[in-house]
Amino acid sequence: MSVPSPVPAVPAPVSAPTQADLLDFVRRTVADAELIAALPLDPEGRTWMRLDGPGGSEAWLIGWPPGTGTGWHDHADSIGAFMTASGELKENALAARLPTDGWKTLELTDGVDRERRLGAGQGRAFGRHHVHEVLNESPDRHAISVHAYYPPLPRIRRYSRTGPVLRLEQVERPEDWQ
């Protein structure tokens, strides 16, 4: 009588994190006071620490000196979430679906601008192709935030803005910032 050989266990497929999963992750991370305090802060430039995000996502702890910001950008095909751990961040965003490729200049319509002020413990999730800029407008206080993206950022598109005109200026890939 032969004994069947054991069948190796097949790991269950990991499902991709949702916007809600990423928002939950940044919320839990912001609550880790020891981790937040471990981020070195620079008086002049942003600082960051890579984190292990859920389900293969990319995550970052970021320190924002007074008066710094990202400039207008999007995260291409990634969804994301971010939350302020300390200080206050301002997010300017566009409530408009932009073409994903094949353009250099767009004239935005009235009513697409959105502004949010996110104090400690406040954050948001966003979908693919979300165009925004994040700023620390404080004249004298650092802000710290946690960000998560899925899939890990394939590219970031950077824009300039003059009034209603949005212009694609540069496309960055991971090798440009790591």
Side-chain angles (χ1 to χ4, degrees), residues 26-68:
V26 298
R27 181 177 291 112
R28 285 183 286 109
T29 305
V30 160
D32 184 343
E34 188 175 320
L35 176 64
I36 301 305
L39 180 67
L41 299 177
D42 183 303
E44 296 179 21
R46 285 191 296 157
T47 55
W48 54 88
M49 181 186 309
R50 186 145 192 176
L51 305 172
D52 292 326
S57 64
E58 180 174 346
W60 298 91
L61 177 62
I62 301 176
W64 306 76
T68 59

Side-chain angles (χ1 to χ4, degrees), residues 12-18 21 54-57 150:
V14 176
S15 61
T18 64
D21 295 332
S57 64
Y150 186 85

Side-chain angles (χ1 to χ4, degrees), residues 2-8:
S2 69
V3 177
S5 56
V7 176

